[in-house]
Each structure stands twice: as structure tokens, then as C-alpha cells.
Amino acid sequence: MREVILVYLDRSGGLQKFVHDCKKYNDSKQSYAVYRFIISINPSDIAELDATLGNYILHNPLQAAQIFQSVCFVAIKTLSLIEQLQTEAQISILLKPTHLPPLPSYVLSLSAYPFNYTSPRFYMSEGIVIAMGTVTKYTQGARFLCTEETCPFSEGRFRCIRVHCPGATESATVRTDFVCSLCSSPLQEDMKFRVLGDKQIVELIDAKILNALKGYSIDKSHFRIQAFTLFLR
């Protein structure tokens, strides 16, 4: 799969964009605990190269991102793209599909029953925005150090970092009760390495609500429309 990913990135121009993003990080004077990369992917093109990888990306995107993470780490180290990078865990990959297969199973509709959306994979959803919150900050990544001075994890290396994952809450990334996996001592965040991003909360309602605004209908069936919340990061 790693070889297929490298071939796809080279053919699609994603590798050139990745090198450009690395250059911006390398030229920056700011210190980062996490280096975040957004990689656009065409599921159809990847499936033509390797059907297993294409299916894996569509149905297990979080695990697929870890494979991309491994490929990107090797590329950075081989080409010396980011001098400050120390560990593979410092790389955060966000896979951004250009489209999804036009099949019902890839469409998220909260007006349908039953709601079998338990798989953490990609879905399409179409609706009407009825409310928007203000843009606020959230933590994309942070570095922690062990408070026990004799512990190897108290040194200034990136051995204890937290990276935000899709669907996680803020407390999963930044908290005060994390403990060292080596000596069980409390961990303390190194604030100068915190990486922030923008997020916005949006209330969306199914597009079928428009049917209720057409006035009288001969359809006497009852229906209920409820808005759902999206976090745009």
C-alpha cells in the first residue's frame, strides 16, 4: 500500500504540494509539536491503482491516514524536508476526498430510518444551514513533558504528544490528568509547542424541510425534521 500511495501522490501532483508545504514549515521560525498536512485524494483513481487501498480509504479513513503518515515521514526524512521533525507521531494527515461513490450507502440522511451511521468513514450530506457560530480556536496538537526530572520523557524530545483526531473532543487533546507511560508521573504541557487551528459550529437541517414549506399537501403522513450539528475544522 505504501508503494501505491507514493505512486499516486507522484502522478496526481500531491507529492509536489506536500514538498511545498514542508518547505513552508521548514522556513518558519515557529516551533511545532505537530505538522499538519491536507492531502486531496481521488478514490476512483486510487482504486484503479489498488482496489484494496481504495476500499480501505473509503471505509477506514483513520487507519488509511496512518499509512499516509508513514509514507510522508519516510519522504521527509529521505529528502530532508523538515529539519525539526523528530518522530512520525508529529505528522498529522487529513485525507480530503474529491468525491465519493454516488451510492446510497455513502449519503448521510437523518430523515431516513434506521440510522446505521456507526462506521467512522466518509459520508456525503446535503442540507440547509440554519445557524452558524463564531470562529474559535481549538488545539490541533500539543507536547507534554514528564514532571519527574529523572525520567527520560522529561527531556525536550517529542515523545509525549497529543494530536486531535476527527470526532474527538478538546479534552482528548489537552487535559491536566495525563500521566507518563514510562513512570506514571503527571505530564505537563509545554505551552510554546501548542498548535492551534480554527473551528466553527454549524447547525444543518435536511433539505427535505423544503417540502414542508410548499403549503398544503395531499400526503397526510407525519414526519419530523431535526437539525444536527457539524464541527468545521
Side-chain angles (χ1 to χ4, degrees):
M1 286 188 182
R2 291 176 174 84
E3 294 180 2
V4 176
I5 290 174
L6 193 58
V7 170
Y8 173 76
L9 291 178
D10 186 32
R11 293 181 180 180
S12 64
L15 187 59
Q16 182 179 0
K17 179 183 180 300
F18 175 74
V19 172
H20 177 72
D21 292 340
C22 288
K23 187 178 185 301
K24 291 193 297 183
Y25 277 125
N26 197 46
D27 295 341
S28 175
K29 297 181 180 179
Q30 182 179 350
S31 299
Y32 294 91
V34 176
Y35 298 88
R36 189 168 183 260
F37 299 95
I38 300 177
I39 299 180
S40 296
I41 54 174
N42 186 321
S44 299
D45 291 345
I46 294 180
E48 289 182 2
L49 290 174
D50 188 284
T52 302
L53 177 60
N55 185 71
Y56 202 59
I57 290 174
L58 288 174
H59 300 96
N60 298 280
L62 298 181
Q63 290 77 11
Q66 294 178 355
I67 304 178
F68 276 81
Q69 178 189 37
S70 177
V71 173
C72 292
F73 177 74
V74 173
I76 291 174
K77 285 301 184 181
T78 303
L79 303 176
S80 301
L81 299 176
I82 302 178
E83 297 179 359
Q84 305 92 333
L85 181 69
Q86 296 182 16
T87 65
E88 182 178 320
Q90 288 181 261
I91 301 176
S92 176
I93 300 295
L94 176 64
L95 299 180
K96 185 178 181 182
T98 56
H99 67 281
L100 293 178
L103 300 172
S105 59
Y106 292 95
V107 178
L108 188 152
S109 175
L110 295 186
S111 64
Y113 184 85
F115 306 137
N116 294 323
Y117 303 115
T118 57
S119 174
R121 62 178 178 87
F122 293 117
Y123 291 99
M124 295 181 292
S125 182
E126 183 181 29
I128 303 169
V129 176
I130 60 174
M132 296 176 64
T134 58
V135 177
T136 58
K137 295 293 183 181
Y138 79 101
T139 304
Q140 291 181 351
R143 181 177 82 160
F144 292 82
L145 297 175
C146 183
T147 54
E148 175 57 51
E149 296 182 356
T150 60
C151 178
F153 287 3
S154 65
E155 301 173 356
R157 293 183 62 86
F158 294 89
R159 294 173 173 172
C160 302
I161 62 173
R162 302 290 296 183
V163 182
H164 173 81
C165 293
T169 60
E170 184 77 5
S171 61
T173 309
V174 178
R175 241 182 14 242
T176 59
D177 59 348
F178 291 132
V179 296
C180 178
S181 60
L182 190 62
C183 68
S184 299
S185 298
L187 293 177
Q188 184 176 14
E189 183 185 356
D190 190 349
M191 293 298 297
K192 65 178 178 291
F193 284 96
R194 178 181 286 195
V195 181
L196 299 177
D198 294 332
K199 73 174 180 180
Q200 187 174 22
I201 299 177
V202 173
E203 288 288 327
L204 198 71
I205 198 164
D206 197 285
K208 291 184 179 180
I209 189 64
L210 293 176
N211 295 330
L213 303 177
K214 293 180 180 179
Y216 177 78
S217 174
I218 59 174
D219 184 8
K220 298 183 181 300
S221 62
H222 298 282
F223 63 93
R224 180 174 182 266
I225 301 290
Q226 180 174 338
F228 58 99
T229 304
L230 292 180
F231 288 81
L232 306 181
R233 299 183 184 271

